[in-house]
Structure formats: structure tokens, C-alpha cells
Amino acid sequence: MYDMIIIGAGPAGLTAAIYARRAEKKVLVLEGTTYGGQIIKTMKIDNYPGMPGVSGPDFAKALYMQATSLGAEIEFENVIKTERAGESFKVTTEDDEYEAKSLIIATGTKYRTLGLEYEKELEGRGVSYCATCDGAFYKDKTVVVEGGGNTALYDAEYLAGICKKVYLIHRRNEFRGDKALLERVSGLSNVEIITPAAIGGLLVFAEKMRFLGVWLKETDGETGKVVSDENVREIKAAGLFVAIGSEPNSEIFSGLVDRDERGYIIATEDCKTSHPGVFVAGDVRTSGLKQIVTATADGANAASKAIDFLNSL
Ligand code: NAP
């Protein structure tokens, strides 16, 4: 029996593990893919205090080493179920079953898809959700980015340094991303911003499942809603980068803790969920800012509250 099972080994989960181990609790971290979460896809982190320009994979590795050298156990297994089992919690993975007196959920978010025909089949073969991971494949080519937040703006800027031409498509006139960043992107000679518009479909050579570009639909610049189904413009391109935000990885916890209408786990600022003994940290929690610094702060808070909970048993 573990004192604490932490689900997710991103910055929030690994920070929670560091704090819990420093309080000498028996800790297991379960992670479905690899440690680091979304930061391993970030080439350069510019906004983590005290570490300007640190690479995402280096930062993730340092967190992992710190947690494991303090004695946190980590298993790379996909969690499929979590439930109350008497006084404790049972966590079922695809390979095993574990028990703990407390849980910290730190499962983060997953990227949102456009839901277009052929989008799934073309992932990794023309359609990408990570410019820093796949941008180099499109050197000197034309690419399209869709989205209006900071991710889309950073992607457009990053890709402009590699690609011949970048089309940035956004469904509203106003961008959600930072003004200074938008100004920088607008000033790049090989970036063309098209608003208001949305990608209505993918141009595909279906026989060979080859991505050829996108076609655009007209949208309302205020609401972002599609005005007509008509194909207003075709753009030939070698790649599409979808950067339209993300959704919480919280489905498996739906019977255990309360979630809001978008699926984020409802919690207090000190990371307590609706279920005593279950805490939540990082992007999967209802919160404003979703950054590495807020995820690590959550990890510390969630672990500290879980430690209080364990000490009160
Ligand atoms: P986001 O801020 O939620 O922006 C998503 C964008 O995609 C919005 O502009 C949205 O349009 C658009 N969108 C959503 N669904 C769409 C659909 N079905 N079709 C077309 N467009 C759609 O997501 P994000 O850019 O990934 O950023 C997430 C958080 O991370 C933000 O807080 C951001 O500031 C932060 N972030 C920070 C950094 C950094 O500081 N280094 C880098 C990247 C991200 P509407 O505007 O019309 O809703």
C-alpha cells in the first residue's frame, strides 16, 4: 500500500512526488507515455523564473531525476480506472492494480483536433499538433497554422524561421494570444495572416493518402462561427499545424471527483477535489493560468495537502 499515488509525470506530478518524498511518504507515480508531459515538446522555455531559455526535455529530465533520486517509484503504465476501496483508493492500469491512501491527479491536457475528414489518418504525414516536434520536416516548404492563441502565434513564428511561407488562419478578427507576440508575427515577411476564416476541409490525394493543403470557410469575425459552408479559398501546402487549444485528460476520474462542463476537475486553490484524499494539480484542474510555473506550484500545494491528509489518518 502506497501513501500516495500520483497519476501523471509532468511538471505538476513530478513536483508533487519531490515534495511527498521529502516528507518521507511512500510514493508511486504512474505515467502512460513518457515523463515531462507537454514540456518535452517545447524546444525552449522562456518564462520559467530563473531558467531563461532552458530546453523542455532538459527541464523534464532534471525533474524526473530529482523525483526518482529522492526515492519516488515510477511505472510507465496507462491508468484505466480509479475507485474508492474501503478506506483507500484502487488504481487499475492496463498491466496491474495498485492501492494508496491518497491520490494526486496530474494528468494534464491533450490537444484539441479539428475533427475533419482524413485528419486522423494524416497525423504525422502532413497534419501535426506540435510545431517544435515536426517543424523541421517542412524546411523551405509552405505550411498552414490554425489557431488564435499563444500556441498558434509561437508556432507561426517558429515555423517562419524554417519554412518558405506560413499561413496563419484564425476564425476571429481578434487574437487571444499576447499582443506583443502578434505584432512580432505580423511583422514577419513570410507569414500571411488570414482572418476571419476557418479550415473547412483538407485537400487530400486520397488514393495515396497524401496531404495537399486546406480549404477555408468564411467565419464571423466577432463570434468565430462559420457563416457558410462554401469553399472560399484553397491553400496548397505541405503541412498543417493545428494549434486550437487543449482538453483535460479527466474522463477516467468522472465517477470519483466533480468536473466542470469542459471536463476540468473542480478544486480549491489548494488543490482539494470534491473527494477527501483526492487532490489535483496542473492543467487538468479548474484554474486560470496554465503554465509550467503554475503546474509546479500546484504540485507543491497538492502534495502538501495530501501530506496533511495522510498525517491526520
Ligand atoms: P488557447 O489560448 O485556448 O487558444 C486556442 C485558440 O484556438 C483560440 O484562438 C480559439 O479560438 C481557437 N480554436 C479553438 N477551437 C477551434 C476550432 N474548433 N476551430 C478553430 N479555432 C479554434 O490555447 P493555446 O494557444 O494552446 O494556449 C493555451 C494556454 O497556454 C494559454 O493560457 C496560453 O497563454 C498558454 N501558452 C503559453 C505559452 C508561453 O507563454 N510560452 C505558449 C503557448 C501557450 P477563439 O479565440 O475563437 O476561441
Side-chain angles (χ1 to χ4, degrees):
M1 165 90 71
Y2 288 92
D3 289 320
M4 199 183 290
I5 289 180
I6 298 167
I7 306 169
L14 290 174
T15 303
I18 291 166
Y19 274 71
R21 279 303 304 147
R22 284 171 56 81
E24 299 188 347
K25 300 300 177 194
K26 187 170 158 58
V27 176
L28 172 67
V29 182
L30 292 169
E31 164 62 53
T33 53
T34 182
Y35 63 79
Q38 290 190 7
I39 59 166
I40 55 159
K41 293 181 177 172
T42 306
M43 213 73 99
K44 199 165 76 138
I45 299 165
D46 271 330
N47 56 2
Y48 195 82
M51 302 174 80
V54 64
S55 98
D58 286 352
F59 186 66
K61 190 170 179 195
L63 274 175
Y64 174 78
M65 297 305 291
Q66 193 175 355
T68 50
S69 66
L70 283 166
E73 293 174 40
I74 300 199
E75 296 293 343
F76 292 94
E77 294 174 23
N78 206 18
V79 174
I80 49 175
K81 201 169 169 194
T82 48
E83 63 202 305
R84 185 101 215 177
E87 292 297 294
S88 58
F89 297 94
K90 187 165 95 181
V91 178
T92 310
T93 70
E94 278 165 357
D95 309 292
D96 224 326
E97 272 181 13
Y98 301 94
E99 252 189 281
K101 295 176 196 159
S102 68
L103 290 184
I104 294 182
I105 301 168
T107 45
T109 55
K110 58 177 171 290
Y111 53 75
R112 201 177 279 143
T113 64
L114 291 166
L116 296 173
E117 191 180 9
Y118 300 123
E119 186 179 351
K120 230 189 188 118
E121 292 88 332
L122 286 167
E123 184 174 348
R125 317 168 56 187
V127 177
S128 169
Y129 302 86
C130 176
T132 48
C133 314
D134 300 331
F137 298 126
Y138 300 93
K139 189 168 165 42
D140 298 328
K141 297 193 170 150
T142 295
V143 296
V144 176
V145 175
E146 179 161 30
N150 276 332
T151 303
L153 292 172
Y154 272 117
D155 285 0
E157 185 182 48
Y158 175 73
L159 291 166
I162 300 171
C163 303
K164 185 172 76 181
K165 168 109 189 178
V166 178
Y167 290 94
L168 174 60
I169 318 293
H170 177 40
R171 63 186 179 183
R172 289 183 215 249
N173 291 327
E174 291 286 316
F175 278 78
R176 196 183 279 256
D178 296 348
K179 290 269 172 298
L181 183 56
L182 175 61
E183 264 172 40
R184 240 164 46 212
V185 172
S186 308
L188 295 169
S189 60
N190 61 342
V191 176
E192 183 176 332
I193 298 178
I194 304 176
T195 61
I199 295 176
L202 306 181
L203 301 171
V204 179
F205 179 27
E207 225 170 88
K208 299 216 162 160
M209 199 43 73
R210 193 183 305 146
F211 177 80
L212 300 173
V214 299
W215 57 266
L216 303 183
K217 279 179 187 170
E218 195 186 334
T219 55
D220 181 298
E222 289 294 310
T223 63
K225 289 202 174 117
V226 173
V227 178
S228 124
D229 260 345
E230 209 184 321
N231 168 2
V232 289
R233 179 170 171 183
E234 282 189 5
I235 299 176
K236 298 239 161 46
L240 165 64
F241 289 85
V242 181
I244 60 168
S246 41
E247 291 164 1
N249 290 315
S250 67
E251 199 51 50
I252 55 165
F253 309 109
S254 60
L256 188 68
V257 291
D258 291 346
R259 301 183 303 155
D260 72 5
E261 67 292 346
R262 294 186 302 155
Y264 289 91
I265 294 173
I266 297 170
T268 54
E269 277 305 301
D270 56 5
C271 302
K272 288 180 185 158
T273 69
S274 55
H275 197 127
V278 183
F279 305 85
V280 60
D283 288 4
V284 70
R285 172 173 89 83
T286 46
S287 61
L289 198 58
K290 297 197 187 299
Q291 302 278 296
I292 305 167
V293 71
T294 51
T296 53
D298 266 12
N301 266 316
S304 147
K305 293 300 154 194
I307 291 161
D308 290 348
F309 171 81
L310 289 166
N311 290 343
S312 73
L313 292 177

